[in-house]
Amino acid sequence: IQGLAGLKINRLVLGEFKNERKLQKFDRSCLEGLCNLTIEQFRIAYLSKFSWNDTDLFNCLANVSVISLLSISLGSLQALLKDFRWQHLEMINCDFDKFPALKLRSLKKLVFTDNKDVSTFTKTELPSLQYLDLKRNHLSFKSCCSHTDFGTTNLKHLDLSFND
């Protein structure tokens, strides 16, 4: 990544891009230089035991428009409480301890699907959210779904199918 310094990159994919297996080890030193790139879309795929507790990594991704996390063992995303400029966030088939309490003012599209270990929905603050896909998560929506749960009055698409 250091060799790409100064470039504008449309899409950067890290991890197992063929979706054939999960990588068991990930050398974080390969992310050095990430802050020196201008990235439109950032995707991390098929990594086991990946820690997002490093706030420096998140700060480097603050201006990315699209973030995609696919089959990542994360635990929690507490670092996402910070207001980044992300417009589109995908979290698909990841291992979470609980639904992330997101507070992202610019987020317009959230796709949170196939995350089987999450059973309860957490209120979010997403005032610009227009598209919300929460299908196939085993989520329970007993007291859901008002504009206060999602922190938006702009929602145009909502998919809660195949949940509990």
Side-chain angles (χ1 to χ4, degrees), residues 115-120 136-140 162-164:
N115 301 296
K116 305 291 186 216
D117 293 332
V118 178
S119 61
T120 56
R136 295 188 306 263
N137 287 304
H138 297 275
L139 287 170
S140 175
F162 302 103
N163 279 291
D164 292 343

Side-chain angles (χ1 to χ4, degrees), residues 1 12 14 31 34-44 50 52 54-69 80 83-87 104:
I1 290 180
L12 180 61
L14 297 177
L31 297 176
L34 192 62
C35 289
N36 298 325
L37 302 177
T38 302
I39 305 170
E40 181 68 24
Q41 299 176 26
F42 184 77
R43 179 177 186 170
I44 295 184
F50 187 79
W52 281 85
D54 185 357
T55 56
D56 290 339
L57 173 62
F58 273 121
N59 290 335
C60 290
L61 300 173
N63 294 320
V64 173
S65 294
V66 178
I67 297 286
S68 181
L69 309 174
L80 285 180
D83 192 20
F84 295 123
R85 294 184 191 111
W86 301 345
Q87 293 183 21
L104 300 167

Side-chain angles (χ1 to χ4, degrees), residues 140-159:
S140 175
F141 296 101
K142 293 181 180 172
S143 61
C144 181
C145 293
S146 73
H147 69 358
T148 58
D149 292 326
F150 303 119
T152 186
T153 57
N154 299 318
L155 206 57
K156 296 177 182 177
H157 175 91
L158 175 62
D159 188 346

